[in-house]
Amino acid sequence: AQTVTQSQPEMSVQEAETVTLSCTYDTSESDYYLFWYKQPPSRQMILVIRQEAYKQQNATENRFSVNFQKAAKSFSLKISDSQLGDAAMYFCALTANTGNQFYFGTGTSLTVIP
Amino acid sequence: DVKVTQSSRYLVKRTGEKVFLECVQDMDHENMFWYRQDPGLGLRLIYFSYDVKMKEKGDIPEGYSVSREKKERFSLILESASTNQTSMYLCASRPANYYGYTFGSGTRLTVV
């Protein structure tokens, strides 16, 4: 079984500052993928960043980067130079290479303070 | 860009009604999914389909059924709507060889 845990229901950050959202997971699979999705008030889930478990290098997409600690089963998202448009619900997700299903955390609501 | 379109953004139905939620994707994706999103529970998988006329149960299939007669369309059916099915319903799709979803904008269903 796979589980994803996000222990921070809410976070806030000042505009232009950096914030880190936490995610831990559990899986018995050796080959899997981890994701961060953003859901703004418009409700459209948008892929923020994707990490293949076999890659040691942390994924980066512009202001978004991850800290992937495979042994600790930790997958945190760092948002640098936060912008008002970053305000949203963020979901961490996991899928194994052997299956179709994604497993989602319960989400972290991020507020960006002007 | 891949588009996943859900036919209704908001829906209000009465208890006992049969409800159809429609999802259409335009990029020939093999896999399609229906999730339910509730506060504090995240997203939970109801059903998915990896091919036309094929379906698999997810974690919470009770009270729901699905139909996939054409590759681009995946329908979620509430056979007899109940108030505990009031929720946000999200459709997603992905191709067979890529592990990343494209989501629709969601349907917020209220059962009264």
Side-chain angles (χ1 to χ4, degrees), chain A:
Chain A
Q2 350 268 346
T3 60
V4 178
T5 301
Q6 293 178 251
S7 58
Q8 306 155 315
E10 297 176 346
M11 293 280 286
S12 62
V13 62
Q14 292 280 352
E15 198 175 0
E17 297 294 309
T18 296
V19 64
T20 298
L21 308 184
S22 301
C23 173
T24 58
Y25 64 91
D26 193 20
T27 179
S28 56
E29 302 286 342
S30 57
D31 192 7
Y32 54 91
Y33 300 81
L34 293 159
F35 303 82
W36 279 99
Y37 278 90
K38 168 185 176 182
Q39 187 181 40
S42 67
R43 302 184 336 206
Q44 180 80 49
M45 294 273 274
I46 302 163
L47 177 64
V48 175
I49 202 162
R50 175 180 183 255
Q51 175 83 43
E52 293 89 341
Y54 64 85
K55 288 187 177 179
Q56 291 188 336
Q57 187 172 6
N58 289 325
T60 299
E61 289 286 341
N62 300 313
R63 299 182 293 107
F64 298 87
S65 61
V66 297
N67 183 4
F68 175 44
Q69 301 288 328
K70 192 171 184 178
K73 294 184 177 176
S74 170
F75 183 62
S76 60
L77 175 71
K78 185 171 85 171
I79 306 173
S80 304
D81 185 26
S82 296
Q83 300 175 359
L84 295 177
D86 295 334
M89 183 74 83
Y90 286 81
F91 290 94
C92 180
L94 160 74
T95 188
N97 195 25
T98 54
N100 260 308
Q101 183 169 349
F102 274 46
Y103 296 87
F104 287 85
T106 51
T108 297
S109 178
L110 178 67
T111 300
V112 180
I113 303 165

Side-chain angles (χ1 to χ4, degrees), chain B residues 66-112:
Chain B
V66 290
S67 172
R68 194 167 180 200
E69 296 295 321
K70 294 184 178 181
K71 192 173 185 179
E72 66 271 19
R73 186 181 295 271
F74 191 38
S75 304
L76 179 69
I77 304 156
L78 286 65
E79 298 290 344
S80 177
S82 63
T83 54
N84 64 12
Q85 292 178 310
T86 291
S87 187
M88 171 79 79
Y89 291 87
L90 290 170
C91 177
S93 73
R94 72 168 182 87
N97 58 354
Y98 178 73
Y99 291 89
Y101 283 165
T102 300
F103 281 91
S105 297
T107 296
R108 187 172 294 282
L109 173 67
T110 302
V111 182
V112 297

